[in-house]
Amino acid sequence: MPPHDLPDLFSYDAVLFDLDGVLTPTAEVHMHAWQTMFEELFAAWDITPAYTERDYFDHLDGKKRYDGVAALLRSRDIEVPWGDPSDPPSSDTVCGIGNRKNAVFERVLRAEGIAPYPGSLRLLDRLVAKRMPVAVVSSSKNAEEVLAAAGIRDRFEVVMDGVIAERDHLASKPAPDVFVEAARMLGVDPARSAAVEDALSGVRSAAAGGFALVVGVDRGVGADDLRAAGAHVVVTDLEEFVA
């Protein structure tokens, strides 16, 4: 059982997890890939102010790739054509720039691999052993590859990712669409389910979707900001629910 001051996740009908930064430390790979790509872009285009880690949390974290690119460029008063998802990474379009970042991410993932956070794996395995319905709700188009690389794909009945979101024209987090659709796919009511997120946009998404419990995992964005975004409780590691 979790400590007395934390809600009992087993009392809910399902638990829906974000992926990057919640189940696996891929957020660090994403952060590195975004920083590398934008620093090069800003230098080439003479963009100021310089890219910072705060830009990741404010404009990129939890969003679909192209929405994040557009949001960050807009923060510097820069607009470029949207383009098409088939644009090559060399294209100076929103899609081309997003694909440029993804090429860096895929290279790092394949070279270094990934492992789930130990605390997250303990909680996930406890939930699965109790036959609790669980799902992944990720904005990433790499979610299936990351889950397979981490060896946890078989735990999830439903994986709502960036590929499905784009196919079905679902709005990016912080809109509630992806969390609500994942709950529908899982056959559960958000009002009786829990959502776990580490990104401000993801917390806002789950809160807007009417989830009974929104858990914020503070991997660096800040506990106060997660609560302000709508998290009911904040932990530093999911191990706290099985301690």
Side-chain angles (χ1 to χ4, degrees), residues 12 190-194 210-214 232:
Y12 296 88
R192 295 179 55 83
S193 303
F211 278 77
L213 176 68
V214 181
H232 299 115

Side-chain angles (χ1 to χ4, degrees), residues 9-73:
L9 290 182
F10 296 92
S11 68
Y12 296 88
D13 287 355
V15 182
L16 286 72
F17 295 90
D18 177 44
L19 176 59
D20 301 329
V22 170
L23 295 174
T24 60
T26 32
E28 298 169 13
V29 184
H30 281 293
M31 288 178 70
H32 175 68
W34 281 120
Q35 180 177 354
T36 299
M37 189 275 296
F38 272 118
E39 285 181 346
E40 292 175 356
L41 183 72
F42 280 22
W45 290 8
D46 196 25
I47 296 173
T48 56
Y51 178 88
T52 68
E53 184 177 283
R54 193 70 230 175
D55 283 315
Y56 175 79
F57 292 118
D58 288 346
H59 305 297
L60 303 168
D61 192 19
K63 294 183 180 178
K64 290 191 287 188
R65 190 189 317 156
Y66 304 140
D67 289 344
V69 170
L72 182 51
L73 291 179

Side-chain angles (χ1 to χ4, degrees), residues 11-213:
S11 68
Y12 296 88
D13 287 355
V15 182
L16 286 72
F17 295 90
D18 177 44
L19 176 59
D20 301 329
V22 170
L23 295 174
T24 60
T26 32
E28 298 169 13
V29 184
H30 281 293
M31 288 178 70
H32 175 68
W34 281 120
Q35 180 177 354
T36 299
M37 189 275 296
F38 272 118
E39 285 181 346
E40 292 175 356
L41 183 72
F42 280 22
W45 290 8
D46 196 25
I47 296 173
T48 56
Y51 178 88
T52 68
E53 184 177 283
R54 193 70 230 175
D55 283 315
Y56 175 79
F57 292 118
D58 288 346
H59 305 297
L60 303 168
D61 192 19
K63 294 183 180 178
K64 290 191 287 188
R65 190 189 317 156
Y66 304 140
D67 289 344
V69 170
L72 182 51
L73 291 179
R74 198 174 300 121
S75 75
R76 303 305 198 271
D77 296 320
I78 294 171
E79 298 282 346
V80 298
W82 188 269
D84 184 84
S86 63
D87 287 351
S90 57
S91 293
D92 289 331
T93 63
V94 167
C95 292
I97 293 167
N99 293 343
R100 200 176 307 173
K101 172 265 175 180
N102 200 53
V104 177
F105 174 83
E106 290 179 344
R107 185 169 66 246
V108 174
L109 181 65
R110 289 166 184 164
E112 300 180 5
I114 199 74
Y117 290 108
S120 299
L121 183 60
R122 280 194 65 197
L123 173 60
L124 178 60
D125 283 347
R126 186 79 63 85
L127 291 169
V128 171
K130 297 289 186 179
R131 300 187 181 279
M132 171 72 75
V134 291
V136 166
V137 186
S138 173
S139 297
S140 175
K141 290 184 176 180
N142 304 106
E144 290 281 1
E145 182 179 2
V146 170
L147 288 166
I152 56 175
R153 176 60 183 88
D154 62 331
R155 270 79 159 183
F156 297 98
E157 179 180 342
V158 167
V159 175
M160 160 56 67
D161 63 4
V163 175
I164 296 173
E166 183 174 284
R167 182 196 70 195
D168 295 347
H169 307 290
L170 300 174
S172 182
K173 301 173 185 178
D177 302 42
V178 289
F179 266 106
V180 171
E181 176 63 10
R184 187 200 66 77
M185 293 168 65
L186 203 56
V188 298
D189 182 354
R192 295 179 55 83
S193 303
V196 186
E197 267 282 358
D198 72 312
L200 296 178
S201 61
V203 168
R204 293 186 183 111
S205 174
F211 278 77
L213 176 68

Side-chain angles (χ1 to χ4, degrees), residues 1-10 240-243:
M1 293 289 290
H4 69 277
D5 57 339
L6 287 178
D8 181 7
L9 290 182
F10 296 92
E240 294 174 44
F241 282 100
V242 291

